[in-house]
Amino acid sequence: MYKKITSIILFSIILLVGSFANIDTAFAKHNLPKDVPMSHWANSVIQQMLTKQYMTTYADGNFKPEQAITRAEAAGAIARSMQIDVETSFLPNFKDVSVTHPYYKEICKLVELGVLRNEDTFEPEAPLKRMQIAKMLTLSYEIEVDAKNKSKFIDVPSTHWAKDFIESLADVGVIKGVDGQHFAPNSLVTRAQLAALVERSVDFRQKVTNLEVAYDYLAKDYIPTVNFSTEWSKEVVRLINAERQKRTLEPLSYDAALTQIAVIKAQDMVNRKYFEHESPFYGAPWDLATLFDYTYTSFGENIARNIPLPVVAVKAWMTSASHRDNILKAHYTNTGVGVAKDSKGNYYWVQMFSSQ
């Protein structure tokens, strides 16, 4: 009897779970735009834009993915994706955007931020061109723009006003050409394309925020700054703080921004095949830190290589008078540790210290 009751309960649970699954599937299908099938190339990004309410469908339930995006629609999607407070007292000069316009607040905010130009007219319902969206995206997501770029398009000459915006955005993978050689700057941006461009821009900005990439002002390029092992870095900090505690010194704070600088130095030693405090490209450690906008009142650096573990690195530094001196300096407050691995499997360690 007990087994029979258990079987009935189990069967009921299975039916219940199955029912929930069917409800979820039905709900997802019900909320799909009528004109964006699952096979559409931008289906997933469009769904994300709708779910996050960065974009909306029209009253008839259609998304119209191949329709050209209007200037107002693009401003609305971009401002919302930036997750900023669009409430503002700023009043633009536009005579053709009334306070009742559905994207009025978003447009005003982007003008206030300098993304859109404050002119007499905005032409909110005009379609947006590819060259125009390139500029909007770089300014909105604070993507660095320079004239030294790998991406080149034969239909974007050196005299084109949007050249640097287009090439800089293409270099970081946010926008692409219509083929290997052409960008088609005057072509219109579709609503599906705008959804993809916004998603890529948000993803790239998140990498910058997460300290996975950094703009190198000397090389004029974004470079990867992912640490070989965050766990190893934090273990080094724990070990050196144990040494400081033995001498009644204040512990050093793990500094994520300083760790990013240490990663850049470690990768630089691997890439340029040297092992010195002075980089042939960046100069002294404090010059490197300043280049990447890190502020400090005093600065120091320990380096090591061909060491397999954090405990070994710390022991090696503690047996060296100059390295030990950095670890035990009373006025240092912050530290960051970067690790890089070369093609032969050798590890390069960089520990940086700063006073704040």
Side-chain angles (χ1 to χ4, degrees):
M1 183 65 179
Y2 174 77
K3 290 183 178 179
K4 185 176 181 180
I5 292 172
T6 304
S7 299
I8 292 172
I9 293 172
L10 180 60
F11 182 67
S12 299
I13 291 172
I14 291 172
L15 284 177
L16 185 61
V17 172
S19 298
F20 281 140
N22 290 334
I23 290 171
D24 289 341
T25 303
F27 180 79
K29 288 181 178 179
H30 178 72
N31 283 271
L32 285 173
K34 297 177 182 179
D35 56 349
V36 184
M38 295 296 290
S39 58
H40 192 283
W41 70 267
N43 176 275
S44 62
V45 296
I46 290 172
Q47 291 303 319
Q48 288 187 46
M49 293 299 110
L50 294 175
T51 299
K52 295 176 181 178
Q53 298 184 332
Y54 298 160
M55 299 179 74
T56 61
T57 55
Y58 291 98
D60 60 2
N62 288 319
F63 184 80
K64 300 182 182 179
E66 309 312 321
Q67 178 174 291
I69 192 88
T70 68
R71 289 165 58 82
E73 288 172 336
I78 290 172
R80 292 175 183 181
S81 72
M82 292 166 68
Q83 298 185 342
I84 54 177
D85 184 0
V86 296
E87 295 294 336
T88 176
S89 58
F90 180 83
L91 297 175
N93 296 331
F94 302 139
K95 298 175 182 177
D96 55 354
V97 184
S98 70
V99 295
T100 59
H101 193 285
Y103 298 116
Y104 177 77
K105 290 182 179 179
E106 289 84 352
I107 293 169
C108 288
K109 192 64 179 182
L110 292 186
V111 175
E112 182 182 21
L113 294 174
V115 174
L116 300 175
R117 296 174 63 178
N118 192 14
E119 300 179 324
D120 291 338
T121 60
F122 178 66
E123 300 181 4
E125 308 313 316
L128 199 64
K129 296 180 179 180
R130 284 168 58 81
M131 59 185 176
Q132 295 168 331
I133 194 62
K135 181 179 179 180
M136 284 184 69
L137 294 175
T138 55
L139 295 178
S140 298
Y141 302 101
E142 298 179 310
I143 298 172
E144 297 288 344
V145 175
D146 58 54
K148 183 181 178 182
N149 298 294
K150 301 181 183 71
S151 300
K152 301 292 178 185
F153 303 100
I154 60 176
D155 56 351
V156 183
S158 59
T159 55
H160 195 289
W161 71 265
K163 170 189 170 293
D164 293 345
F165 294 107
I166 292 168
E167 292 177 355
S168 296
L169 202 62
D171 271 4
V172 298
V174 169
I175 204 165
K176 303 173 184 177
V178 294
D179 58 39
Q181 293 183 304
H182 299 84
F183 182 77
N186 290 300
S187 293
L188 302 182
V189 180
T190 68
R191 285 171 53 81
Q193 291 169 343
L194 191 278
L197 291 170
V198 167
E199 182 192 48
R200 291 179 204 147
S201 298
V202 171
D203 288 347
F204 182 76
R205 190 65 218 169
Q206 194 61 48
K207 289 181 180 179
V208 175
T209 302
N210 293 341
L211 306 181
E212 296 172 14
V213 296
Y215 184 73
D216 187 330
Y217 289 94
L218 197 58
K220 301 295 183 185
D221 196 11
Y222 278 96
I223 59 174
T225 57
V226 177
N227 208 352
F228 176 79
S229 174
T230 300
E231 291 74 19
W232 280 9
S233 295
K234 291 184 177 180
E235 177 63 7
V236 168
V237 177
R238 187 189 70 79
L239 291 169
I240 65 106
N241 275 334
E243 295 294 339
R244 290 175 68 88
Q245 185 177 25
K246 293 175 186 177
R247 296 155 178 86
T248 66
L249 295 170
E250 288 294 318
L252 300 179
S253 298
Y254 176 81
D255 188 329
L258 189 54
T259 292
Q260 184 181 46
I261 307 299
V263 170
I264 293 170
K265 176 60 179 289
Q267 290 179 341
D268 185 54
M269 288 195 292
V270 169
N271 296 338
R272 292 190 166 85
K273 297 178 173 57
Y274 73 95
F275 183 67
E276 301 287 344
H277 288 292
E278 188 92 6
S279 165
F281 187 69
Y282 297 113
W286 37 90
D287 294 329
L288 170 62
T290 301
L291 178 68
F292 285 89
D293 294 329
Y294 184 84
T295 58
Y296 56 88
T297 57
S298 62
F299 203 88
E301 178 188 77
N302 285 349
I303 59 175
R305 66 175 172 179
N306 302 333
I307 290 178
L309 294 168
V311 65
V312 181
V314 173
K315 285 182 178 179
W317 285 331
M318 287 300 292
T319 58
S320 166
S322 59
H323 293 89
R324 183 173 63 251
D325 184 51
N326 273 335
I327 291 173
L328 301 179
K329 277 184 179 176
H331 65 270
Y332 282 150
T333 59
N334 292 34
T335 188
V337 182
V339 185
K341 186 179 181 181
D342 68 14
S343 59
K344 296 179 181 179
N346 299 314
Y347 297 109
Y348 285 70
W349 301 73
V350 177
Q351 181 169 26
M352 290 181 166
F353 306 85
S354 71
S355 300
Q356 296 295 314

